[in-house]
Amino acid sequence: MRAREAGITIGYIPPGPNNTITDVDGVRVGHSTIISGGGPLVVGDGPVRTGVTVVCPREGWTWEEPVFAGCHRFNGNGEMTGLEWIREAGVLETPVAITNTHSVGVVHDALIAAEFEDNTEEYWCLPVVAETYDGTLNDINGQHVKPEHVREALADASGGPVAEGSVGGGTGMICHEFKGGIGTASRKLPDDEGGWTVGALVQSNYGRRHMMRVDGAPVGRVLTTEKIPSPYEQGTQAQPGTGSIIVILATDAPLLPIQCDRLAQRATIGLGRAGGGCDNGSGDIFLAFATGNRGIQPEGTVNPPPTVSTNMVTNEYMTPLFHAAVEATEEAILNALLAAGTMTGRDGITAHGLSSDLLLGALDEARALCGRR
Amino acid sequence: MRAREAGITIGYIPPGPNNTITDVDGVRVGHSTIISGGGPLVVGDGPVRTGVTVVCPREGWTWEEPVFAGCHRFNGNGEMTGLEWIREAGVLETPVAITNTHSVGVVHDALIAAEFEDNTEEYWCLPVVAETYDGTLNDINGQHVKPEHVREALADASGGPVAEGSVGGGTGMICHEFKGGIGTASRKLPDDEGGWTVGALVQSNYGRRHMMRVDGAPVGRVLTTEKIPSPYEQGTQAQPGTGSIIVILATDAPLLPIQCDRLAQRATIGLGRAGGGCDNGSGDIFLAFATGNRGIQPEGTVNPPPTVSTNMVTNEYMTPLFHAAVEATEEAILNALLAAGTMTGRDGITAHGLSSDLLLGALDEARALCGRR
Amino acid sequence: MRAREAGITIGYIPPGPNNTITDVDGVRVGHSTIISGGGPLVVGDGPVRTGVTVVCPREGWTWEEPVFAGCHRFNGNGEMTGLEWIREAGVLETPVAITNTHSVGVVHDALIAAEFEDNTEEYWCLPVVAETYDGTLNDINGQHVKPEHVREALADASGGPVAEGSVGGGTGMICHEFKGGIGTASRKLPDDEGGWTVGALVQSNYGRRHMMRVDGAPVGRVLTTEKIPSPYEQGTQAQPGTGSIIVILATDAPLLPIQCDRLAQRATIGLGRAGGGCDNGSGDIFLAFATGNRGIQPEGTVNPPPTVSTNMVTNEYMTPLFHAAVEATEEAILNALLAAGTMTGRDGITAHGLSSDLLLGALDEARALCGRR
Amino acid sequence: MRAREAGITIGYIPPGPNNTITDVDGVRVGHSTIISGGGPLVVGDGPVRTGVTVVCPREGWTWEEPVFAGCHRFNGNGEMTGLEWIREAGVLETPVAITNTHSVGVVHDALIAAEFEDNTEEYWCLPVVAETYDGTLNDINGQHVKPEHVREALADASGGPVAEGSVGGGTGMICHEFKGGIGTASRKLPDDEGGWTVGALVQSNYGRRHMMRVDGAPVGRVLTTEKIPSPYEQGTQAQPGTGSIIVILATDAPLLPIQCDRLAQRATIGLGRAGGGCDNGSGDIFLAFATGNRGIQPEGTVNPPPTVSTNMVTNEYMTPLFHAAVEATEEAILNALLAAGTMTGRDGITAHGLSSDLLLGALDEARALCGRR
């Protein structure tokens, strides 16, 4: 049950039809989920709890029809490759992939190979690959993600509903010491605010229990680790607060690159409202792309024209887009938590799922704690 | 009545002795408040509702004993001068002054003149002057701040309790469509988390009513502009969401410049929790300085040694400092609101004060709204 | 005699009709030069060797028709106000003014006042004011720039030829230990490279004698301070290498803001080729604006449309623009040196002018030194 | 024959004993060079002209004893992974590897595996891997770099003389349309300027022939592509100016992270003086690390102390370090060119080597061209 189905609303703006990042026309999401084995960790053998998620910004190949993009580093204790060109030119030319920390490389090279297979022209490619750390549940040093998983995730990419929770790159993730993973949400602005859609997809692996909030209510103070045990108290050396969150924002508004940067930074507010943003060990990196401009030539185009026509959102209209990004980010985190379920990984370490029953049962007590110690 | 006196607590960490930025040893705050006239706006005549606030990072002259500093631009629709050298070298060499948007210049030059009066050596100076817009209540185009007001604020600078609300640079400010202004708060970490103090001072002039939250509770949805009128509905052309917030963070932890940048960015989370962070028109710029390293020579030192000895906080210990910065920022905003009182400015426009009674009366209803629409 | 008239060519691309930043259609430059007194420094009395230069990016008021802009901080030991909004939104909404370090404030507030006089609507304004230090020749602490000098520079602003050398903000400046000041140059790309014009204007106050180069030839090693004395050896406490350079780049190409940032950074290459770029004490800050997009609404527009139409240069076409910016910057520095003439300032300190005769007489010897010690 | 052996000197500062980056105590460099096959390109079969170069900043494992580091993006058309944490915390925790564009991933994951093999503690790792494009000579889409090549380069890492030219990551690179590759140089400051060493290592793959300069002399205008053919005129779709340059700077000065950023940016000046810096298609990314501070705990340290003691270079002493970085970068590029030799790669495409004879034969004619068209 997603947040909205459980009767919890975040913010003011209505969601798009699926309340997913794929509500932005043309955006597709695919997962490859890798789960095998159990019991004690034997590096190379497992247990395996990991995967890859891809976000494709267009219907077709991104490199033939790039999108404007921007990014924000809220806390750089993590990796998102490909950001130098996005910072320089504001153009995203590949799908975005998200995986575990120690499989960034294999995914990187596999995205290049996938582009080559589809593209007989001479070319080059700087893929965007992001990560969070799943070594508390997964044999991360076994490096179990293989090129075929990337191809599988690309083949799986589609519009419409998006699988959430313990899937794809989110398979082995932990959030607020509950089971975390992939979550998504969207907002559709009214016509007089531009009528655009903003979608968020998160790979959510950050946070401490007692900091967790739902639309302001400090539920983490009610659902304590005494009541629902933390995976970090089960023999792992990893500490609470050492995870990360990757946020991908998409919109069909015709944002310029500099405006994508601005949108990306707003994910901070959504993360902060959910109870994140204070951990040195968290790699919190945000990417925003905007599909509303077409015909921006990729670098490899032979004989491009000197100029192309673009549109931009006037700055006054950025405000509703900012609100939409904040709301979608906060709700995507909550959706990830509600979808993830309980998972037992290496060495029997268990990350408990946050069911909607559990959450709804804690909410009233949590509400009353606002402003009280 | 400040937030804590009203029984409202924000966060987990205890405040310092005065719960002010001056709890950081050596930090001094001074105000010059300029209020005169009433009735219709006559540019150059008034009404005047403005001023200057200075934050001095050391006991003595900053230029003789600079501090490490860093900054963050959350939304650059504003001005804070002097940031290029802080970004380049991480050193703050002047007091920080905060005033209205159209008086940045006079304060800038007056800080230089004040340095020259005290310093017979040949020198140069790049002062830090920040601003928010008070033109809804104040004759901002009359440019009523004069050099003597800067001298007055510098002379007023002292440790200990800090005047809050409609004082100094905060005199004419508006926050969440209530009367805003200057606020401050602090946190003192336990010894096993380093034992350091973090203080925040805000000039708070941002935000929309319905977004306002107190420790998560959406009080702005209860104290609507129907109940407590907004100054923006009284004939001004300015719109809700066009203000700004300046946050100054101070700590006695021996942070390196790059760590000051990190601390500064955490003000975002405090701002987001209070209900800000989504307005295109808001200039949200944050400065953090750290007094824990001494003997960093100013640029003008004759024959400095090749190296000086410094300390740095290990990165693991940044986490409690981040929490402290977030909590102090959020509480400083609330303190500004509670202290400001009601003020009538130009053209009879009135910004209503948020009294503690008003707030406490709305809190239970607001708590119940978390997660509900 | 300018560089080209002296027979010295920099680079491959032909200049525009006047070889000035005003070759970019609509760009206007104005100066106010303040020279009075002589003999020993008496702070407040003089001698005065300073001024203000303004660059107006459009025919009319910038705030009614802003331009896209970007910036680069090569070495932040200086000030350029107004950069936070340029970094955030990529829009320049005021003329750019350049003056001395201790007069930034008065110029800042005077630009605001000038906007208000012309603009009866309620508004706010974040002007761009840059500086370099002229205290070696000028009574900088006397703060002799007054609001009327800003109005004078604005009234003087026109297209066509631009006065260079010891004029406006460049009046008291020193470059490579010669007399420096204002310089300008331009490049006009061939049609198959877009046909655009790039202009540069510098306020040139940086550098050491022995580092000076002209199109690669190390002329500073020939025209040593033994031959042509340095002003820094005449009793001032300032040291060689403590000045700064401000570079303003303009183009009629329809660059997006992110592309203006890229263009601005290329000024580094021009500066490096002229012999700069290695001094801690130099404030080297670059601004680029692009007039090729019109109709970008200023913030204050009432009821702007949700989107506006823009054009962008395709990235492949950035390369010739980069070359043009590099060449124009290098030549503008040389033009400033050649135009400045000898000036004696406070305490009889003399900065010698680099005449074209002097330069041409040194060039062959300098050429032969390439690659030799 | 290196530049200095050929009688060409760049700048004022003497080199260290080997005139290599390994003159910085503890820095080690290793290469793995992969050359096989010839004739027409068959993707997956070859010809192969590629490799990996590693720079290890310390004697032992970097993750046990990290170094302060900073970076600069001059033109982000390229990749250097691991920069988010360097930007955030200023700490380099892995060796730096440089390879071809389409092998970044395999090198990334192999560096992680190498750390794991050596480190039985639970850990995570964000390696720094940079790239330039060698697809004009190499079967880049064959992805011929394998994990064993990374292990080989790590095993090869040593102090002392460094192999230059067509080795390691530089094997298939092209510079100013000559054969390029790996180059290095160093500078040792006199004791009264701190006495520190600065070393540069470049993987040089950028530039156009006619722009090439040697200490200012435009040798590229003499050694035209009519005289020495360009590889880009032999049937490849790649264009001149589409390569890149990676610059790694090392110093034993105790720089803070923010000072490493400053040092890194100075590579721009060295690149500009050599004739680079104007191409949209060039990925010019610079990393600087400083070994002068020890005992900065890695993230994974159990129970670190709250603070550690560090030293910093006073800012006045940055100037000679900047000069050293500029000179070492420019000379490293020239050394790469002189060492590379002629190489024939895929489809018979030949990149001609710039021998010292060729260079010396062109130098006088080039010198005379300074300032002339």
Side-chain angles (χ1 to χ4, degrees):
Chain A
M1 202 183 285
R2 307 180 79 199
R4 225 155 258 267
E5 295 161 6
I8 298 171
T9 56
I10 305 285
Y12 294 83
I13 311 166
N18 286 308
N19 197 13
T20 57
I21 195 172
T22 54
D23 287 335
V24 177
D25 204 40
V27 173
R28 294 172 295 132
V29 174
H31 301 296
S32 173
T33 304
I34 321 171
I35 297 178
S36 71
L41 172 69
V42 179
V43 174
D45 284 350
V48 184
R49 305 284 185 274
T50 196
V52 185
T53 292
V54 297
V55 180
C56 302
R58 291 276 196 219
E59 303 80 10
W61 289 103
T62 318
W63 30 83
E64 291 174 355
E65 175 77 84
V67 291
F68 280 145
C71 62
H72 183 68
R73 184 194 85 232
F74 176 71
N75 198 43
N77 211 333
E79 179 65 86
M80 188 183 284
T81 70
L83 293 190
E84 300 315 302
W85 186 233
I86 287 172
R87 288 185 172 116
E88 184 76 34
V91 179
L92 171 66
E93 301 184 351
T94 73
V96 177
I98 322 177
T99 186
N100 77 60
T101 311
H102 292 181
S103 295
V104 165
V106 64
V107 175
H108 187 275
D109 289 359
L111 277 178
I112 293 174
E115 176 177 336
F116 176 72
E117 282 167 23
D118 191 65
N119 187 332
T120 58
E121 303 282 318
E122 188 170 61
Y123 76 99
W124 61 275
C125 176
L126 298 169
V128 175
V129 185
E131 57 70 44
T132 63
Y133 178 85
D134 60 14
T136 297
L137 296 177
N138 176 48
D139 171 22
I140 189 169
N141 288 318
Q143 299 187 320
H144 294 279
V145 178
K146 304 297 173 195
E148 56 262 33
H149 299 117
V150 178
R151 287 194 295 269
E152 187 177 288
L154 286 169
D156 182 55
S158 65
V162 173
E164 293 176 300
S166 298
V167 294
T171 303
M173 301 302 161
I174 294 166
C175 182
H176 285 294
E177 307 180 47
F178 286 113
K179 184 70 190 69
I182 299 290
T184 186
S186 73
R187 291 295 181 270
K188 173 80 168 67
L189 292 174
D191 285 350
D192 63 356
E193 294 188 328
W196 301 297
T197 297
V198 176
L201 181 140
V202 302
Q203 181 163 308
S204 197
N205 190 46
Y206 76 95
R208 295 164 193 270
R209 180 68 59 79
H210 72 280
M211 295 296 294
M212 184 187 166
R213 287 179 182 259
V214 170
D215 194 37
V219 295
R221 292 171 58 192
V222 177
L223 298 172
T224 63
T225 57
E226 284 74 36
K227 289 189 198 153
I228 317 286
S230 167
Y232 296 114
E233 295 162 355
Q234 302 175 40
T236 173
Q237 291 184 328
Q239 299 294 317
T242 54
S244 300
I245 182 167
I246 298 295
V247 182
I248 312 297
L249 295 169
T251 183
D252 55 357
L255 301 185
L256 297 185
I258 200 171
Q259 295 177 316
C260 292
D261 288 339
R262 301 182 77 192
L263 197 73
Q265 185 166 186
R266 267 62 198 178
T268 315
I269 303 292
L271 173 61
R273 293 189 182 167
C278 295
D279 286 303
N280 168 69
S282 193
D284 305 337
I285 307 178
F286 315 141
L287 181 80
F289 62 83
T291 65
N293 280 297
R294 301 197 76 97
I296 311 155
Q297 272 78 10
E299 288 307 287
T301 302
V302 179
N303 297 325
T307 64
V308 292
S309 185
T310 54
N311 289 304
M312 70 173 281
V313 171
T314 49
N315 281 322
E316 287 78 357
Y317 281 81
M318 292 303 295
T319 296
L321 289 166
F322 289 165
H323 281 275
V326 167
E327 292 187 7
T329 300
E330 186 177 353
E331 187 163 324
I333 292 170
L334 186 54
N335 281 338
L337 283 159
L338 288 171
T342 294
M343 177 178 282
T344 298
R346 70 168 177 89
D347 300 321
I349 293 172
T350 296
H352 289 271
L354 175 70
S355 67
S356 53
D357 282 355
L358 205 54
L359 174 58
L360 293 172
L363 208 46
D364 271 340
E365 187 179 342
R367 285 174 175 125
L369 292 174
C370 290
R372 295 194 174 112
R373 184 96 339 250
Chain B
M1 203 183 283
R2 307 180 78 199
R4 224 155 259 267
E5 294 162 5
I8 298 170
T9 56
I10 304 285
Y12 294 82
I13 310 168
N18 287 308
N19 197 13
T20 57
I21 195 172
T22 53
D23 288 336
V24 177
D25 203 41
V27 174
R28 293 173 295 131
V29 174
H31 300 297
S32 173
T33 304
I34 320 171
I35 297 179
S36 71
L41 172 69
V42 180
V43 174
D45 285 348
V48 184
R49 304 284 185 274
T50 196
V52 185
T53 293
V54 295
V55 180
C56 302
R58 290 276 195 219
E59 302 81 8
W61 290 102
T62 319
W63 28 83
E64 291 174 355
E65 174 79 84
V67 292
F68 280 144
C71 62
H72 183 68
R73 185 194 85 232
F74 176 70
N75 198 44
N77 211 332
E79 178 66 86
M80 187 183 284
T81 70
L83 293 189
E84 300 314 302
W85 185 234
I86 287 172
R87 288 184 171 118
E88 184 76 33
V91 178
L92 172 65
E93 301 183 351
T94 73
V96 176
I98 323 177
T99 187
N100 77 60
T101 311
H102 292 182
S103 295
V104 165
V106 62
V107 175
H108 188 274
D109 289 359
L111 277 178
I112 293 174
E115 176 177 337
F116 176 71
E117 283 167 24
D118 192 64
N119 188 332
T120 58
E121 302 281 319
E122 189 170 61
Y123 75 100
W124 60 275
C125 175
L126 298 169
V128 175
V129 184
E131 57 71 44
T132 64
Y133 177 85
D134 59 15
T136 296
L137 296 177
N138 177 47
D139 171 22
I140 190 170
N141 288 318
Q143 299 187 319
H144 294 279
V145 179
K146 304 299 174 194
E148 56 263 32
H149 299 118
V150 178
R151 287 195 293 270
E152 186 177 286
L154 286 169
D156 183 55
S158 64
V162 173
E164 292 176 302
S166 298
V167 294
T171 302
M173 301 302 161
I174 295 166
C175 182
H176 285 295
E177 307 180 47
F178 286 113
K179 182 71 190 67
I182 299 290
T184 186
S186 73
R187 291 295 182 270
K188 172 78 167 68
L189 293 174
D191 285 349
D192 64 355
E193 294 187 329
W196 301 296
T197 298
V198 176
L201 181 140
V202 302
Q203 181 164 309
S204 196
N205 189 46
Y206 77 95
R208 295 164 193 270
R209 180 70 59 78
H210 72 280
M211 294 298 292
M212 184 187 165
R213 287 179 183 259
V214 170
D215 194 37
V219 295
R221 292 170 59 192
V222 177
L223 299 172
T224 63
T225 57
E226 285 72 37
K227 289 189 199 154
I228 317 285
S230 167
Y232 297 113
E233 295 163 356
Q234 303 175 40
T236 174
Q237 291 184 329
Q239 298 293 317
T242 54
S244 300
I245 183 168
I246 299 294
V247 182
I248 312 296
L249 294 169
T251 183
D252 56 357
L255 300 185
L256 297 184
I258 201 172
Q259 295 177 316
C260 291
D261 287 340
R262 302 182 77 192
L263 197 72
Q265 185 166 187
R266 267 62 199 179
T268 314
I269 302 294
L271 173 62
R273 293 188 181 166
C278 295
D279 285 303
N280 168 69
S282 194
D284 305 337
I285 307 178
F286 314 141
L287 181 81
F289 62 83
T291 65
N293 279 296
R294 300 196 77 97
I296 311 154
Q297 272 77 9
E299 289 306 286
T301 303
V302 179
N303 296 323
T307 64
V308 292
S309 185
T310 54
N311 288 304
M312 70 174 281
V313 171
T314 49
N315 280 322
E316 287 79 355
Y317 281 82
M318 292 303 294
T319 295
L321 289 166
F322 289 164
H323 282 274
V326 167
E327 292 187 8
T329 300
E330 185 176 355
E331 188 164 324
I333 293 169
L334 187 54
N335 281 337
L337 283 159
L338 289 171
T342 294
M343 176 178 283
T344 298
R346 70 167 176 89
D347 299 322
I349 294 172
T350 297
H352 289 271
L354 175 71
S355 66
S356 53
D357 281 355
L358 205 54
L359 174 57
L360 294 172
L363 209 45
D364 269 341
E365 187 179 342
R367 286 175 175 123
L369 292 174
C370 290
R372 294 195 175 112
R373 184 97 338 252
Chain C
M1 202 183 284
R2 306 180 80 198
R4 225 155 257 267
E5 294 161 6
I8 298 170
T9 55
I10 305 286
Y12 294 83
I13 310 167
N18 287 307
N19 197 14
T20 57
I21 195 171
T22 53
D23 288 336
V24 177
D25 204 40
V27 174
R28 294 173 295 131
V29 174
H31 301 297
S32 173
T33 304
I34 321 171
I35 297 179
S36 72
L41 172 68
V42 180
V43 173
D45 285 350
V48 185
R49 305 284 185 273
T50 196
V52 185
T53 292
V54 297
V55 179
C56 302
R58 290 276 196 220
E59 303 81 10
W61 290 103
T62 318
W63 30 83
E64 291 174 355
E65 174 79 84
V67 291
F68 281 145
C71 63
H72 183 68
R73 184 195 85 231
F74 177 69
N75 199 44
N77 210 332
E79 179 64 86
M80 187 183 283
T81 69
L83 293 189
E84 300 315 302
W85 186 234
I86 286 172
R87 289 184 171 116
E88 183 76 34
V91 178
L92 172 65
E93 301 184 351
T94 74
V96 177
I98 323 178
T99 187
N100 77 60
T101 310
H102 292 182
S103 295
V104 165
V106 63
V107 175
H108 188 274
D109 289 359
L111 278 178
I112 293 173
E115 177 178 337
F116 176 71
E117 283 167 22
D118 193 63
N119 188 333
T120 57
E121 302 283 318
E122 187 170 63
Y123 75 101
W124 60 274
C125 175
L126 298 170
V128 175
V129 184
E131 57 70 44
T132 64
Y133 177 86
D134 59 15
T136 296
L137 296 176
N138 177 49
D139 171 21
I140 191 169
N141 288 317
Q143 299 187 320
H144 295 279
V145 179
K146 304 297 174 195
E148 56 262 33
H149 299 117
V150 178
R151 287 195 293 270
E152 187 177 286
L154 286 169
D156 182 56
S158 64
V162 173
E164 292 176 301
S166 298
V167 296
T171 301
M173 301 301 161
I174 294 166
C175 182
H176 285 295
E177 307 180 47
F178 286 114
K179 183 69 191 66
I182 298 291
T184 186
S186 72
R187 292 295 181 270
K188 172 79 168 67
L189 293 174
D191 285 350
D192 64 354
E193 294 187 327
W196 301 297
T197 298
V198 176
L201 181 139
V202 301
Q203 182 163 307
S204 196
N205 189 46
Y206 77 94
R208 295 165 192 269
R209 181 69 60 78
H210 72 280
M211 295 297 293
M212 184 187 165
R213 287 177 183 262
V214 170
D215 194 37
V219 295
R221 291 171 57 191
V222 178
L223 298 172
T224 62
T225 57
E226 284 74 37
K227 289 187 196 153
I228 316 286
S230 167
Y232 296 113
E233 296 161 355
Q234 301 174 42
T236 174
Q237 290 183 329
Q239 299 293 317
T242 54
S244 300
I245 183 168
I246 297 296
V247 182
I248 312 297
L249 295 170
T251 184
D252 56 357
L255 300 185
L256 297 185
I258 200 172
Q259 295 177 316
C260 291
D261 287 339
R262 302 182 75 191
L263 197 73
Q265 185 166 186
R266 267 61 199 178
T268 314
I269 303 293
L271 173 62
R273 292 188 182 167
C278 294
D279 286 303
N280 168 68
S282 196
D284 305 338
I285 307 178
F286 315 141
L287 181 81
F289 62 83
T291 65
N293 279 297
R294 302 196 75 99
I296 311 154
Q297 272 79 8
E299 289 306 286
T301 302
V302 179
N303 296 324
T307 63
V308 293
S309 185
T310 55
N311 287 304
M312 71 173 281
V313 171
T314 50
N315 280 322
E316 288 78 356
Y317 281 81
M318 291 303 294
T319 295
L321 290 166
F322 289 165
H323 282 274
V326 167
E327 293 188 5
T329 301
E330 185 177 354
E331 188 164 324
I333 293 170
L334 187 54
N335 281 338
L337 283 160
L338 289 170
T342 295
M343 177 179 282
T344 298
R346 70 167 177 89
D347 299 323
I349 293 172
T350 296
H352 289 272
L354 175 71
S355 67
S356 54
D357 282 356
L358 205 55
L359 173 58
L360 294 172
L363 208 47
D364 271 340
E365 188 180 341
R367 285 173 175 126
L369 292 175
C370 291
R372 294 193 175 113
R373 186 96 337 250
Chain D
M1 202 183 284
R2 307 181 78 199
R4 224 154 258 266
E5 296 161 6
I8 298 171
T9 55
I10 304 285
Y12 294 82
I13 310 167
N18 286 308
N19 196 14
T20 56
I21 196 172
T22 54
D23 288 336
V24 178
D25 204 42
V27 173
R28 294 173 295 130
V29 174
H31 300 297
S32 173
T33 304
I34 321 171
I35 297 179
S36 72
L41 172 68
V42 180
V43 174
D45 285 351
V48 184
R49 305 284 185 274
T50 197
V52 185
T53 293
V54 296
V55 180
C56 302
R58 291 277 197 218
E59 303 81 8
W61 289 103
T62 318
W63 29 85
E64 291 174 355
E65 174 78 83
V67 291
F68 280 144
C71 62
H72 183 68
R73 183 194 86 232
F74 177 70
N75 199 44
N77 211 330
E79 179 65 86
M80 187 183 285
T81 70
L83 293 189
E84 300 315 301
W85 186 232
I86 287 172
R87 288 183 171 118
E88 183 76 34
V91 178
L92 172 65
E93 301 183 351
T94 73
V96 176
I98 323 177
T99 186
N100 77 59
T101 310
H102 292 182
S103 295
V104 165
V106 63
V107 175
H108 187 274
D109 289 359
L111 278 178
I112 293 173
E115 176 178 336
F116 176 72
E117 282 167 24
D118 193 64
N119 188 332
T120 56
E121 302 282 320
E122 187 171 63
Y123 75 101
W124 60 275
C125 175
L126 298 169
V128 175
V129 184
E131 58 69 45
T132 64
Y133 178 84
D134 59 14
T136 296
L137 296 177
N138 176 49
D139 171 22
I140 190 170
N141 288 318
Q143 300 186 319
H144 295 278
V145 179
K146 304 297 174 195
E148 56 263 32
H149 299 117
V150 179
R151 288 194 293 268
E152 187 178 287
L154 286 169
D156 183 55
S158 64
V162 173
E164 292 176 301
S166 298
V167 295
T171 301
M173 301 301 161
I174 294 166
C175 182
H176 285 295
E177 306 180 49
F178 287 113
K179 183 69 190 68
I182 299 290
T184 186
S186 72
R187 292 296 182 270
K188 171 79 167 67
L189 293 174
D191 285 349
D192 63 355
E193 294 188 327
W196 301 296
T197 298
V198 176
L201 181 140
V202 301
Q203 181 163 308
S204 195
N205 190 46
Y206 77 94
R208 294 164 193 269
R209 180 69 59 79
H210 71 281
M211 295 297 293
M212 184 188 165
R213 287 178 184 259
V214 171
D215 194 37
V219 296
R221 292 171 58 191
V222 178
L223 299 173
T224 62
T225 57
E226 283 73 36
K227 288 188 196 153
I228 317 287
S230 167
Y232 296 114
E233 296 162 354
Q234 302 175 41
T236 173
Q237 291 183 328
Q239 299 294 317
T242 54
S244 301
I245 183 168
I246 298 295
V247 182
I248 312 296
L249 294 169
T251 183
D252 55 358
L255 301 185
L256 296 185
I258 200 172
Q259 296 178 315
C260 292
D261 288 339
R262 301 182 76 191
L263 197 74
Q265 185 166 188
R266 268 61 199 178
T268 315
I269 303 292
L271 173 62
R273 292 188 182 167
C278 295
D279 285 303
N280 169 69
S282 195
D284 306 338
I285 307 178
F286 315 141
L287 181 81
F289 62 83
T291 65
N293 280 297
R294 301 197 76 99
I296 311 154
Q297 271 81 7
E299 289 308 287
T301 303
V302 179
N303 296 325
T307 64
V308 293
S309 184
T310 55
N311 288 304
M312 72 173 281
V313 171
T314 49
N315 279 323
E316 287 79 355
Y317 281 81
M318 291 303 295
T319 295
L321 290 166
F322 289 164
H323 281 274
V326 167
E327 292 188 7
T329 300
E330 185 177 355
E331 189 164 324
I333 293 169
L334 187 53
N335 282 338
L337 282 159
L338 289 170
T342 295
M343 177 178 282
T344 298
R346 70 167 177 89
D347 299 322
I349 293 172
T350 297
H352 290 271
L354 174 70
S355 67
S356 53
D357 282 356
L358 205 55
L359 174 57
L360 293 172
L363 209 46
D364 270 341
E365 188 179 340
R367 285 173 175 127
L369 292 174
C370 290
R372 294 193 176 113
R373 185 92 343 248

